[in-house]
């Protein structure tokens, strides 16, 4: 599960994260997911919407 802030300069504002995600998919990984959180930067677990981030991660792990 690739998660990142859509405004994270380290992840190229989501572009670099999306590139890695697409590489995993192209290698045949079927259960890879990606989510970019609007207006979040690098520390998505400390942003104002952190509860949604935690919930998304928990939901992904529960389905895996």
């Amino acid at each position: 599960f690739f998660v990142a802030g859509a405004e994270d300069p380290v992840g190229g504002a989501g572009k670099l994260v999306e590139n890695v995600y697409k590489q995993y998919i192209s290698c045949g990984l079927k259960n890879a997911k990606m989510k970019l959180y609007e207006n979040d930067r690098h520390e998505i677990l400390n942003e104002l919407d952190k509860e949604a981030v935690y919930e998304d991660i928990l939901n992904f792990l529960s389905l895996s």
Side-chain angles (χ1 to χ4, degrees):
F1 189 30
F2 293 91
V3 292
E7 304 299 322
D8 183 359
V10 175
K15 291 179 181 75
L16 299 176
V17 176
E18 186 175 7
N19 288 344
V20 173
Y21 166 74
K22 287 179 179 179
Q23 288 176 3
Y24 272 67
I25 295 297
S26 71
C27 289
L29 191 65
K30 293 181 179 11
N31 66 340
K33 303 287 183 224
M34 182 190 82
K35 182 161 184 181
L36 299 176
Y37 294 89
E38 279 190 48
N39 303 315
D40 286 4
R41 291 179 55 87
H42 188 67
E43 294 188 34
I44 61 172
L45 297 178
N46 292 319
E47 294 280 2
L48 295 175
D49 62 346
K50 65 185 173 197
E51 291 85 8
V53 177
Y54 279 108
E55 186 175 335
D56 290 343
I57 293 169
L58 180 61
N59 287 337
F60 176 79
L61 292 174
S62 296
L63 296 173
S64 296

